[in-house]
Amino acid sequence: MAIFLTGSTGYIGAHVAANLLEGHGASLNVLVRARDPQEAQLRLWRALQMHLDFPRFFEYLQTKVRIFCGDLTSTGFGLGRDEYDRLVHTTDSVIHCAASLNRKSEKSCLNVNLRGTLEVLTLARQAEHYHGLRRFSEVSTVAVAGKRSNEVVTEDRSIEWDRSDYDPYARTKKFCEHMTRVLLPDTPKTVFRPSIVLGDSRHAETTQFDMVKAFVFLAGLPALPFRPNDKIDIVNVDFVADAIATLHQKDQPQYDTYHLSSGTGSQTFRELTTALAAAQQKRSPVFLPFAEKPFSGSVNFLSNRKGAMAKGASLMKVFMPYLVWNTVFDNTRVTSELKRKPVPFSQYSFPLLKFSRENNFEYNYKPWPAAAGGTAA
Ligand SMILES: NC(=O)c1ccc[n+]([C@@H]2O[C@H](COP(=O)([O-])OP(=O)(O)OC[C@H]3O[C@@H](n4cnc5c(N)ncnc54)[C@H](OP(=O)(O)O)[C@@H]3O)[C@@H](O)[C@H]2O)c1
């Protein structure tokens, strides 16, 4: 039997897959979008190569990982009947990590997050019906807390249905949590809500550059339109993946919902910029909180232009509400249960930004080794 993991080709999902394989000896059924098994293997290799060398990856492919080529937005993931049955009958728990993070697209969030999660829940209900489901873990987000200002939010006070959301992503993820609770009433469930997941504290390499680009954009400005003592809740991906894998594998986690965040230990803009400036032997930027409105106007203007600046501005536009809300997410549950804390962003931000800049915000993927046995193109 295996854990059905969605989103294994994504940033967090790949970290979770590697953690489950290396740290827990787990077997995985993974859903991968691809035209054929060869392409799926190659996509999985690209996702996991930051974590595993090829021989180890290939060994896992032979022994512990079964790939299902499918799409969340197709009925039954678009799998044939036999393949779908095989997935149902070999799945004893689920970690649903795939999502659309396209905050601007109602359509994409509707299709991937709502319709997709309904497909995963349908699969989970069938597995539950035939042989029982040990646990269903839903990877959600702190964004389900909706519009906030100057708060420390606890897990139980996060979802308030009368509150507005910043974007379609937050709204659909909130409903995914709700669907999970309603449609799997008797299954043990865990909801994980990461905050801003940015970088791996163990090394500079990353495959996910959106948020890094937004930070590089900000780091290049001599003046920032923020209040210097506002906190920003950033968490390292290795902490997030370890928490998801460990709590999913635990017999009885203490809670059904966890913020995977830095909580009240989150750093302020001043702490972050001071550390970054020191690492680069540069001057710290000045803070001009009253300039938030004109700054947002300039960001809007720049985001409609062309070029690298426009890309950074466009990303800033999307992330801006999450930078100025001065809201953090209490992490007492996860830190006390796991007896570890996230690494402060200032401790690993400079190598991350340096790696990203030097590599032009691209990860240099290794190809499938020509000499290797196996089938990938
Ligand atoms: N990154 C953050 O800062 C953050 C913060 C809070 C919560 N989260 C949550 O963490 C989870 C993972 O986020 P991430 O940052 O790892 O995102 P990501 O890198 O964009 O990965 C998304 C994953 O979902 C898969 N996916 C998307 N549409 C699909 C579809 N139609 N069918 C099958 N798979 C599909 C992607 O597959 P392809 O490779 O084929 O595209 C990819 O594996 C999400 O649930 C997100 O809401 C993330």
Side-chain angles (χ1 to χ4, degrees), residues 182-225:
V182 171
L183 294 179
L184 289 176
D186 303 321
T187 308
K189 291 173 288 295
T190 316
V191 172
F192 296 106
R193 296 189 191 130
S195 56
I196 298 172
V197 183
L198 191 50
D200 191 316
S201 68
R202 302 165 300 180
H203 51 75
E205 291 81 12
T206 183
T207 53
Q208 215 264 23
F209 294 100
D210 276 6
M211 200 64 194
V212 185
K213 273 185 196 158
F215 268 86
V216 167
F217 177 83
L218 286 175
L221 299 177
L224 292 174

Side-chain angles (χ1 to χ4, degrees), residues 5-72:
L5 173 67
T6 67
S8 59
T9 52
Y11 179 53
I12 297 176
H15 279 80
V16 172
N19 191 303
L20 286 166
L21 290 166
E22 296 276 87
H24 298 268
S27 295
L28 304 178
N29 287 334
V30 294
L31 185 73
V32 176
R33 283 199 284 190
R35 281 179 300 249
D36 52 47
Q38 286 77 11
E39 187 188 341
Q41 286 185 4
L42 182 59
R43 295 206 61 223
L44 198 61
W45 163 233
R46 283 167 68 94
L48 291 179
Q49 58 184 248
M50 216 165 63
H51 310 279
L52 307 169
D53 62 18
F54 186 79
R56 197 143 180 88
F57 166 78
F58 197 65
E59 188 192 324
Y60 282 135
L61 215 47
Q62 313 292 313
T63 55
K64 295 230 172 245
V65 178
R66 183 179 273 166
I67 297 179
F68 293 82
C69 283
D71 193 307
L72 285 174

Side-chain angles (χ1 to χ4, degrees), residues 113-361:
N113 300 351
L114 296 184
R115 289 178 55 228
T117 298
L118 190 55
E119 281 298 333
V120 178
L121 288 166
T122 304
L123 178 282
R125 281 163 63 103
Q126 294 211 31
E128 167 96 318
H129 170 77
Y130 284 112
H131 49 76
L133 198 64
R134 186 182 63 75
R135 178 163 304 284
F136 186 99
S137 289
E138 165 74 8
V139 181
S140 183
T141 164
V142 296
V144 299
K147 292 193 174 177
R148 301 274 175 170
S149 181
N150 308 321
E151 287 181 58
V152 178
V153 182
T154 58
E155 282 88 345
D156 289 344
R157 311 278 313 256
S158 184
I159 292 195
E160 295 174 349
W161 292 101
D162 288 337
R163 201 177 272 274
S164 301
D165 304 295
Y166 285 116
D167 48 45
Y169 166 71
R171 192 172 310 126
T172 51
K173 293 291 283 187
K174 182 160 74 176
F175 198 74
C176 289
E177 285 195 21
H178 183 61
M179 270 198 293
T180 302
R181 294 187 208 281
V182 171
L183 294 179
L184 289 176
D186 303 321
T187 308
K189 291 173 288 295
T190 316
V191 172
F192 296 106
R193 296 189 191 130
S195 56
I196 298 172
V197 183
L198 191 50
D200 191 316
S201 68
R202 302 165 300 180
H203 51 75
E205 291 81 12
T206 183
T207 53
Q208 215 264 23
F209 294 100
D210 276 6
M211 200 64 194
V212 185
K213 273 185 196 158
F215 268 86
V216 167
F217 177 83
L218 286 175
L221 299 177
L224 292 174
F226 305 132
R227 291 172 296 189
N229 295 323
D230 275 10
K231 288 188 168 183
I232 175 157
D233 199 329
I234 295 172
V235 62
N236 47 306
V237 68
D238 40 317
F239 178 83
V240 169
D242 188 44
I244 294 172
T246 305
L247 292 168
H248 181 82
Q249 291 300 76
K250 209 173 166 183
D251 281 342
Q252 285 184 320
Q254 285 170 29
Y255 302 96
D256 69 354
T257 306
Y258 294 87
H259 285 160
L260 306 181
S261 54
S262 289
T264 50
S266 298
Q267 294 177 292
T268 63
F269 282 114
R270 195 190 297 283
E271 285 171 316
L272 295 180
T273 52
T274 303
L276 211 50
Q280 300 176 99
Q281 291 166 337
K282 274 181 154 182
R283 258 168 182 271
S284 291
V286 292
F287 289 91
L288 304 174
F290 50 84
E292 187 192 323
K293 275 222 170 89
F295 178 80
S296 297
S298 315
V299 162
N300 279 345
F301 173 77
L302 283 173
S303 66
N304 293 322
R305 320 278 297 179
K306 288 209 169 92
M309 196 69 166
K311 276 197 188 140
S314 179
L315 285 162
M316 271 311 303
K317 194 173 151 184
V318 174
F319 291 126
M320 195 67 183
Y322 299 104
L323 299 180
V324 294
W325 65 348
N326 191 31
T327 291
V328 300
F329 295 86
D330 184 61
N331 67 0
T332 312
R333 286 184 179 178
V334 69
T335 53
S336 53
E337 191 161 344
L338 296 187
K339 301 198 171 32
R340 46 188 178 269
K341 290 183 173 177
V343 178
F345 187 51
S346 64
Q347 285 184 22
Y348 66 96
S349 57
F350 179 61
L352 173 70
L353 298 197
K354 188 165 175 279
F355 168 84
S356 303
R357 268 199 213 114
E358 285 175 359
N359 290 280
N360 211 10
F361 302 99

